[in-house]
């Protein structure tokens, strides 16, 4: 394959039959590009296969230099041409083969996916995949639960004890080793006191001086994994100065500590769960702090190297000083917070948890470490915050209702990671030196108290307490259920009431509609009747005018036929039983001699028991009585509207009275609107229709209108249609009705008016002729 470079010739060098023109130089042998196939090409797709042969041929052949064409008669070129021709043929064959294979692949893929069995199988596989996914999620949840249970069984607050080896200085000083470890028990140690007595201490694990960082981390790992499951975790190292807190937490580049190994583990597990979980980590580090830590460093990290760099930068600003106990003593707490954000790629569940990694400052006795000035102050602050930490742990251990987290910045900061919902791991660091015996005992006693948080109240082991807890939960659930049931019942009752109210409302609406229809019908009927009455009136008028000359005789005859002068009501117009519409009713004095007033006065004398207001006996018109003795006496009713009360406003009711209009085209517009406020409000459709009447209206403008109606309406009814009573004294005698009485003569009313009774005139059920009618004669 390291043969001479072959270049493509331009198209013009190749004839259509595949014969090739070469360049004569062997090193620049070229092929036509017209027949290239993928199988036979290298960089430019040129076939490499024949090159060796071609080269050998070239060696044999004698090419002329330059770009001359090779003569076909030159012998050595023949085999080469032959070979090239062969190659072209081969290329063609390969091309054909390729085309055939491509077709086959196409067919296969089409056939493959077109087969219904295969589609079915794919669907089955899809279902199985979904099922497995579901199962996997369940298994994950179960794993988390069990894992958490294991951690809880071990204790949510765990205490590890780590003892460092005697250092060179201590050996030189001849200090004794006071820590004894049981080879069979990895969680116990004994401290040899000055009086040679042994004091036993028991922790979740005890690390001996020869245990390296990996051994320590192996025990730490399970609790670290909980962070990825969404639990808050706090790991802190506590102990006397120079006992190895920093060594345990940070370590050295050769012996990485818990911080580094923890983060490494987090990255490892997150990588392991990459297929179904997505994690993000944020790191914060501060030398000491409150919730708002000045100069706090926060970084997004994606590898342990980045974490290490951040830790180093944090360490650079950490306050370090030399004490008699430790040459490189940390004079501050170092807190590292790792925030883990997790998201399940399967069900989208999200978690956010914190991991606190805390290297506390040394819990030394101030006198012992021989410090003064600023160092002394530092030590006092350190001790204060450690004391606050001790108080918090004591409160947690005793299940106190109040946990004094805010007594120090340290506990305030760790509040969310110290307590029931969190997992806490404490390293108590001790020195084996007899010189540090007192400090060692202090630290171990404190650690035992911390451990009491887990073992003391037996929160995880005592069945009784667990049962009590569950019982309370069940009681609460029952109570909640009862409440829910009550609420549901209430809701049901309210719904029923609502339904009833709705149906009532519907029926009332229907009634209203029905009444409206009735009212409309009645109105139409009345208009018809009025029209008919008007026609009758017209005919009666013509009749009266024809009999007027004999009125005197008729009157005499009438008087003779009635004993004691008692007047009969007017007779109905023969022969039809049409009732004449009422004329306008008024109690106002008439202005003319032929008006209603004169007649009215006479009637009052005749019927003293029914004096003024509503009902009056109507004296017979003499001309009618004389001319038609067959007419029966009728009793007429008058509704006289009393003067409206000045202040009282009566609400309008939905009753209309009749009114009759002697139609006159010019007046139609002024008399077409119903002047009842109720109708105007509630029944706009009704109001819109033309009315040929105008009820008593005390409105001043009404008096200006030359009304053409004569109505007979009880006073009560008239008041119903009043918008508002006129102001006192505004009443004018020139009532349109009166004017009407003067101008127009006769109207018959078919109405039944019921309001008369209320006005003291007794019930008048069938009013007949209006007095005004009679006055016309
Ligand atoms: N388990 C151990 N194995 C070997 N060397 C240790 C171990 N623990 C501590 N040391 C060494 O002891 C010395 C003091 O340790 P370190 O500084 O970690 O103590 P410290 O508790 O952090 O002190 P301070 O509270 O003053 O900061 C260091 O030189 C450290 O390397």
């Amino acid at each position: 394959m390291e043969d001479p470079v072959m270049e493509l010739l331009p198209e013009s060098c190749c004839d259509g039959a595949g014969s090739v023109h070469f360049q004569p130089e062997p090193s620049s042998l070229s092929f036509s590009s017209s027949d290239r196939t993928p199988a036979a090409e290298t960089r430019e797709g040129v076939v490499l296969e024949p090159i060796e042969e071609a080269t050998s041929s070239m060696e044999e052949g004698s090419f002329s230099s330059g770009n001359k064409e090779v003569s076909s008669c030159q012998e050595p070129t023949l085999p080469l041409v032959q070979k090239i021709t062969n190659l072209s043929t081969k290329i063609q064959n390969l091309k054909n083969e390729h085309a055939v294979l491509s077709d086959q692949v196409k067919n296969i893929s089409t056939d493959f996916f077109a087969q219904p069995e295969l589609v079915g199988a794919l669907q089955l596989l899809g279902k199985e995949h979904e099922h497995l996914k579901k199962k996997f999620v369940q298994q994950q949840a179960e794993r988390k639960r069990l894992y958490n249970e294991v951690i809880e069984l071990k204790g949510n607050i765990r205490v590890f004890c780590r003892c460092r080896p005697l250092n060179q200085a201590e050996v030189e000083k001849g200090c004794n080793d006071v820590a004894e470890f049981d080879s069979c028990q990895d969680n116990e140690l004994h401290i040899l006191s000055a009086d040679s007595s042994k004091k036993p201490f028991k922790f979740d694990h005890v690390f001996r001086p020869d245990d390296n960082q990996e051994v320590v981390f192996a025990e730490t790992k399970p609790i670290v994994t909980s962070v990825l499951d969404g639990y808050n975790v706090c790991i802190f190292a506590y102990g006397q100065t120079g006992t190895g807190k920093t060594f345990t937490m940070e370590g050295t580049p050769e012996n990485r500590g818990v911080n580094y190994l923890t983060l490494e583990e987090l990255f490892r597990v997150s990588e392991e769960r990459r297929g179904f979980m997505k994690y993000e980590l944020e790191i914060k580090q501060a030398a000491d702090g409150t919730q708002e830590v000045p100069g706090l460093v926060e970084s997004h990290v994606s590898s342990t190297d980045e974490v290490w760099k951040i830790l180093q930068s944090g360490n650079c600003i950490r306050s370090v000083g030399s004490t008699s106990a430790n040459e490189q003593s940390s004079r501050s707490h170092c807190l590292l917070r790792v925030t883990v954000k997790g998201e399940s790629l399967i069900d989208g569940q999200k978690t956010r948890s914190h991991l606190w990694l805390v290297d506390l400052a040394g819990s030394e006795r101030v006198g012992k470490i021989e410090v003064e000035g600023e160092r002394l102050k530092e030590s006092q602050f350190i001790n204060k915050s450690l004391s606050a930490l001790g108080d918090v742990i004591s409160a947690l251990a005793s299940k106190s209702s109040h946990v004094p987290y805010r007594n120090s910045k340290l506990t305030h900061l760790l509040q969310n990671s110290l307590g029931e919902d969190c997992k806490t791991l404490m390293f108590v660091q001790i020195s084996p030196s007899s010189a540090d015996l007192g400090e060692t005992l202090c630290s171990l006693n404190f650690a035992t108290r911390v451990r009491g948080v887990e073992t003391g109240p037996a929160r995880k082991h005592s069945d009784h307490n667990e049962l009590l807890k569950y019982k309370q939960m069940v009681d609460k659930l029952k109570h909640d259920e009862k409440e829910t049931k009550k609420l549901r019942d209430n809701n049901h009752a309210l719904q029923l009431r609502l339904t009833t109210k709705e149906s009532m409302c519907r029926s009332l609406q229907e009634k209203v509609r029905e009444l409206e229809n009735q009212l409309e019908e009645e109105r139409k009927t009345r208009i018809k009747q009025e029209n008919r009455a008007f026609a009758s009136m017209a005919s009666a008028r013509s009749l009266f005018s024809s009999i007027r000359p004999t009125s005197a005789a008729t009157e005499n005859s009438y008087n003779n036929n009635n004993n004691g002068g008692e007047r009969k009501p007017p007779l109905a117009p023969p022969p039809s039983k049409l009732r004449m519409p009422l004329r306008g009713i008024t109690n106002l004095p008439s202005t003319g001699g032929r008006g209603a007033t004169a007649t009215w006065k006479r009637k009052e004398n005749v019927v003293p028991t029914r004096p003024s207001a509503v009902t009056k006996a109507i004296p017979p018109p003499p001309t009618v009585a004389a001319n038609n003795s067959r007419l029966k006496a009728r009793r007429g009713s008058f509704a006289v509207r009393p003067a409206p009360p000045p202040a009282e406003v009566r609400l309008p009711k939905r009753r209309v009275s009749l009114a009759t209009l002697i139609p006159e085209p010019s007046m139609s517009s002024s008399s077409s609107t119903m002047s009842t406020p109720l109708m105007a409000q509630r029944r706009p459709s009704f109001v819109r229709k033309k009315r040929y009447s105008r009820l008593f209206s005390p409105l001043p403008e009404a008096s200006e209108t030359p009304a053409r109606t004569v109505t007979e309406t009880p006073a009560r009814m008239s008041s119903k249609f009043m918008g508002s009573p006129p102001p006192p004294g505004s009443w004018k005698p020139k009532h349109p009705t009166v004017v009407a009485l003067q101008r127009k003569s006769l109207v018959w009313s078919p109405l039944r008016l019921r309001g008369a009774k209320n006005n003291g005139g007794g019930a008048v059920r069938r009013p007949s002729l209006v007095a005004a009618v009679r006055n016309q004669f």
Side-chain angles (χ1 to χ4, degrees):
M1 297 297 141
E2 293 164 5
D3 298 313
V5 178
M6 293 176 278
E7 289 176 359
L8 297 175
L9 281 174
E11 289 285 322
S12 56
C13 299
C14 174
D15 63 22
S19 63
V20 180
H21 308 277
F22 329 83
Q23 287 179 313
E25 295 169 75
S27 59
S28 59
L29 183 64
S30 302
F31 290 103
S32 164
S33 64
S34 61
D35 288 325
R36 281 182 291 158
T37 63
E41 290 171 352
T42 56
R43 185 183 52 178
E44 292 288 339
V46 180
V47 179
L48 298 176
E49 203 179 321
I51 287 172
E52 284 176 20
E53 296 173 39
T55 312
S56 58
S57 303
M58 281 185 285
E59 283 165 0
E60 292 168 14
S62 58
F63 292 96
S64 61
S65 62
N67 290 332
K68 288 179 193 169
E69 285 192 358
V70 178
S71 167
S72 58
C73 60
Q74 282 177 311
E75 281 296 317
T77 60
L78 279 176
L80 190 57
V81 172
Q82 185 61 44
K83 288 201 173 191
I84 289 168
T85 315
N86 289 345
L87 280 172
S88 297
T89 319
K90 264 187 181 178
I91 287 166
Q92 193 57 47
N93 290 341
L94 282 168
K95 269 177 108 176
N96 293 339
E97 209 172 310
H98 175 257
V100 171
L101 282 170
S102 294
D103 283 349
Q104 275 180 1
V105 166
K106 260 186 206 167
N107 290 338
I108 285 169
S109 56
T110 315
D111 292 349
F112 183 81
F113 289 109
Q115 283 175 16
E117 309 91 61
L118 286 170
V119 174
L122 273 174
Q123 279 174 350
L124 268 177
L125 277 171
K127 276 181 189 170
E128 204 173 325
H129 175 250
E130 281 301 313
H131 175 70
L132 285 171
K133 225 163 96 174
K134 235 183 191 177
K135 230 178 171 181
F136 177 76
V137 172
Q138 284 171 357
Q139 293 289 333
Q140 278 292 318
E142 185 65 7
R143 181 200 64 75
K144 269 189 196 175
R145 194 186 64 78
L146 290 171
Y147 188 80
N148 193 46
E149 217 166 75
V150 168
I151 300 287
E152 277 184 359
L153 285 170
K154 284 183 178 175
N156 269 355
I157 293 186
R158 308 190 74 197
V159 180
F160 292 166
C161 178
R162 187 174 191 187
C163 183
R164 69 162 169 79
L166 278 172
N167 61 33
Q168 194 61 38
E170 286 164 344
V171 172
E172 283 170 7
K173 276 185 193 170
C175 296
N176 293 324
D177 192 340
V178 293
E180 263 189 18
F181 303 93
D182 190 340
S183 53
C184 304
Q185 299 284 341
D186 57 3
N187 60 345
E188 272 187 27
L189 89 158
H190 294 86
I191 300 295
L192 294 171
S193 298
D195 57 356
S196 301
S197 65
K198 288 182 184 175
K199 189 166 186 194
F201 288 95
K202 207 173 177 182
F203 297 104
D204 292 292
H205 200 97
V206 175
F207 299 104
R208 300 167 191 193
D210 52 350
D211 284 340
N212 61 20
Q213 304 282 57
E214 278 69 39
V215 174
V216 172
F217 187 69
E219 293 295 322
T220 314
K221 213 190 283 184
I223 207 167
V224 169
T225 318
S226 287
V227 181
L228 294 172
D229 289 340
Y231 293 96
N232 286 349
V233 172
C234 179
I235 301 173
F236 66 94
Y238 173 90
Q240 183 194 352
T241 294
T243 50
K245 297 183 293 295
T246 308
F247 183 79
T248 299
M249 295 307 291
E250 287 178 20
T252 58
E254 305 80 42
N255 295 295
R256 300 283 197 198
V258 168
N259 290 357
Y260 187 88
L261 296 175
T262 296
L263 285 157
E264 208 175 46
E265 177 68 6
L266 289 182
F267 282 114
R268 191 191 67 77
V269 177
S270 64
E271 189 62 25
E272 206 176 82
R273 298 182 183 179
R274 195 178 167 180
F276 55 94
M277 285 295 286
K278 194 177 110 188
Y279 288 110
E280 283 176 26
L281 272 75
E282 282 169 9
I283 306 280
K284 279 188 180 183
Q285 188 176 23
D288 189 0
T290 57
Q291 295 287 23
E292 295 297 326
V293 184
L296 190 73
V297 178
E298 182 175 6
S299 304
H300 200 93
V301 289
S302 55
S303 70
T304 38
D305 289 341
E306 285 179 41
V307 176
W308 187 247
K309 275 179 197 164
I310 290 166
L311 291 178
Q312 290 304 309
S313 66
N315 283 334
C316 288
I317 57 165
R318 191 178 185 187
S319 170
V320 178
S322 176
T323 66
S324 61
N326 187 1
E327 201 179 313
Q328 281 285 308
S329 178
S330 314
R331 306 311 301 153
S332 61
H333 308 304
C334 178
L335 298 100
L336 176 71
R337 192 180 80 180
V338 182
T339 306
V340 181
K341 294 176 192 168
E343 184 182 351
S344 170
L345 297 177
I346 293 165
D347 59 359
Q349 206 182 351
K350 287 182 179 173
T351 57
R352 184 190 166 93
S353 48
H354 295 308
L355 165 68
W356 279 103
L357 298 163
V358 184
D359 175 14
L360 293 171
S363 63
E364 61 279 341
R365 282 193 193 137
V366 176
K368 187 174 178 187
I369 56 171
E370 298 163 13
V371 287
E372 52 188 17
E374 282 302 306
R375 286 273 172 271
L376 180 66
K377 262 190 186 175
E378 259 177 12
S379 294
Q380 283 168 344
F381 279 124
I382 289 167
N383 282 342
K384 199 179 159 198
S385 59
L386 288 175
S387 165
L389 180 66
D391 292 342
V392 164
I393 287 168
S394 292
L396 288 170
S398 60
K399 288 272 175 189
S400 169
S401 58
H402 174 66
V403 181
Y405 285 111
R406 287 167 183 250
N407 280 0
S408 88
K409 290 173 183 175
L410 175 70
T411 50
H412 197 183
L413 197 64
L414 296 177
Q415 183 171 352
N416 291 332
S417 301
L418 279 177
E420 283 183 13
D421 297 337
C422 322
K423 301 180 192 310
T424 309
L425 174 61
M426 172 180 165
F427 283 100
V428 56
Q429 300 284 152
I430 56 166
S431 152
S433 168
S434 54
D436 298 324
L437 182 63
E439 296 291 334
T440 302
L441 286 172
C442 269
S443 297
L444 290 174
N445 284 331
F446 176 75
T448 308
R449 262 171 68 203
V450 172
R451 199 169 176 251
V453 176
E454 182 230 340
T455 54
R459 186 161 55 88
K460 302 172 196 66
H461 304 290
S462 166
D463 285 343
H464 176 69
N465 278 355
E466 281 295 300
L467 277 176
L468 204 70
K469 195 174 146 195
Y470 285 126
K471 200 171 169 290
Q472 280 172 352
M473 279 169 71
V474 168
D475 286 348
K476 195 174 174 297
L477 267 176
K478 276 182 184 171
H479 180 261
D480 286 353
E481 263 179 25
K482 266 186 192 172
E483 287 293 315
T484 314
K485 197 174 173 297
K486 258 188 202 171
L487 285 171
R488 239 185 250 145
D489 289 350
N490 273 355
N491 189 25
H492 186 64
L494 282 171
Q495 273 180 348
L496 276 179
R497 277 176 64 185
L498 184 70
T499 316
T500 318
K501 284 258 160 84
E502 275 176 358
S503 68
M504 269 175 70
C505 191
R506 263 199 298 274
S507 70
L508 280 171
Q509 276 175 350
E510 276 170 19
K511 258 186 188 173
V512 166
R513 227 173 288 135
E514 206 175 293
L515 285 168
E516 282 175 356
N517 289 338
Q518 276 180 16
L519 203 58
E520 185 65 16
E521 285 299 314
E522 197 179 336
R523 193 184 68 83
K524 282 178 185 168
T525 315
R526 283 180 186 182
I527 287 168
K528 275 183 193 170
Q529 285 176 346
E530 283 169 8
N531 288 338
R532 258 185 265 140
F534 175 71
S536 305
M537 182 200 68
S539 63
R541 198 174 177 185
S542 63
L543 179 66
F544 291 152
S545 54
S546 66
I547 61 174
R548 187 176 283 274
T550 57
S551 60
T554 313
E555 191 168 1
N556 289 338
S557 162
Y558 176 80
N559 290 335
N560 293 337
N561 290 336
N562 290 286
N563 295 330
E566 189 181 348
R567 290 168 190 248
K568 296 285 180 185
L571 297 177
S576 73
K577 291 186 177 180
L578 279 177
R579 272 177 275 157
M580 298 176 86
L582 300 177
R583 295 187 71 175
I585 301 168
T586 180
N587 58 350
L588 299 175
S590 172
T591 52
R594 278 182 58 186
T597 315
T599 314
W600 194 246
K601 279 177 184 170
R602 265 191 291 154
K603 284 187 289 182
E604 276 180 339
N605 296 332
V606 174
V607 192
T609 49
R610 294 179 180 179
S612 58
V614 179
T615 310
K616 300 290 177 190
I618 303 171
T623 48
V624 176
N627 285 294
N628 196 349
S629 59
R630 284 178 300 168
L631 288 177
K632 291 179 181 177
R634 301 287 302 264
R635 291 187 71 82
S637 299
F638 290 87
V640 179
R641 189 182 59 74
E648 186 189 6
V649 178
R650 294 193 184 186
L651 288 174
K653 294 184 182 176
R654 305 185 69 185
R655 292 283 299 179
V656 288
S657 173
L658 91 152
T660 307
L661 169 75
I662 295 174
E664 190 173 305
S666 63
M667 297 303 297
S668 60
S669 63
S670 65
S671 60
S672 62
T673 307
M674 193 73 175
S675 62
T676 57
L678 176 73
M679 289 303 169
Q681 283 173 11
R682 296 199 182 176
R683 300 191 55 210
S685 60
F686 186 80
V687 172
R688 261 185 257 121
K689 294 187 178 178
K690 286 198 174 183
R691 296 276 303 173
Y692 297 105
S693 64
R694 196 169 181 85
L695 300 176
F696 288 113
S697 169
L699 299 174
E701 61 267 24
S703 64
E704 303 293 326
T705 313
R708 298 293 174 132
T709 57
V710 180
T711 52
E712 182 182 49
T713 310
R716 186 177 68 82
M717 291 189 72
S718 66
S719 68
K720 278 194 283 185
F721 297 102
M722 287 192 293
S724 60
S730 69
W731 183 258
K732 293 179 182 174
K734 284 184 180 178
H735 194 278
T737 310
V738 178
V739 176
L741 285 171
Q742 289 167 0
R743 292 189 183 181
K744 292 289 171 183
S745 53
L746 187 61
V747 179
W748 294 87
S749 169
L751 290 184
R752 291 179 175 209
L753 302 173
R754 283 188 258 167
K757 195 175 182 178
N758 297 337
N759 290 293
V764 179
R765 294 209 172 254
R766 304 191 61 177
S768 182
L769 292 174
V770 184
V773 174
R774 192 161 43 78
N775 291 336
Q776 300 298 315
F777 309 104

